[in-house]
Amino acid sequence: MIKVIHNSKCPKSRAILEYLDENDIKFQIIDVIKEPLSLFELRTLFKKLNKKPSKILRKSDDIFNEHFSNYETVNEEDALKIIARHPEVIQCPILIKGRIAMPGNPLENVKFFIEN
């Protein structure tokens, strides 16, 4: 089963859920706004993504700009703590299948992820 890290305010995230539902793909929703991930869960997620936390922050978000003056100097541990406190700053959706995770955008990547 696929787990989807989801933000209900995100149109891309809602579109992926719609795609999964329309294609009868079983999934579990993890709404990061209602159920923020712990630091441990975030560390595990980023290992599965094989990405640094700073690479999946929404840089246009006010929270990002409030905490980081320069994208190039983001401390990864600080980024994790910001995500834990302000989950809306993470780019959603993120799909998890076993030991692998990937950003759920663009849709073509999601299709490939599901099929393989």
Side-chain angles (χ1 to χ4, degrees), residues 5-16:
I5 305 292
H6 172 68
N7 177 346
S8 60
K9 294 180 181 181
C10 174
K12 292 175 185 174
S13 194
R14 290 192 309 265
I16 293 302

Side-chain angles (χ1 to χ4, degrees), residues 80-109:
L80 278 175
K81 291 175 184 175
I82 295 301
I83 294 168
R85 281 188 305 225
H86 303 281
E88 64 274 17
V89 78
I90 193 170
Q91 291 180 18
C92 284
I94 298 171
L95 284 74
I96 305 168
K97 186 168 63 170
R99 296 184 193 162
I100 302 170
M102 68 161 280
N105 191 29
L107 183 57
E108 292 75 28
N109 289 355

Side-chain angles (χ1 to χ4, degrees), residues 14-69:
R14 290 192 309 265
I16 293 302
L17 293 183
E18 185 177 316
Y19 170 81
L20 295 173
D21 196 40
E22 287 174 354
N23 289 281
D24 295 322
I25 298 166
K26 293 182 182 183
F27 61 94
Q28 174 188 354
I29 298 172
I30 301 169
D31 188 327
V32 292
I33 304 303
K34 293 179 183 175
E35 302 172 41
L37 301 175
S38 69
L39 284 173
F40 176 79
E41 291 169 318
L42 287 168
R43 285 186 184 98
T44 302
L45 174 63
F46 284 101
K47 284 181 185 176
K48 289 180 179 187
L49 280 165
N50 196 27
K51 290 186 180 278
K52 295 180 180 181
S54 64
K55 300 297 181 192
I56 203 150
L57 290 172
R58 291 179 45 236
K59 287 122 190 113
S60 61
D61 195 283
D62 290 340
I63 292 169
F64 175 85
N65 294 317
E66 180 181 318
H67 292 281
F68 303 106
S69 59

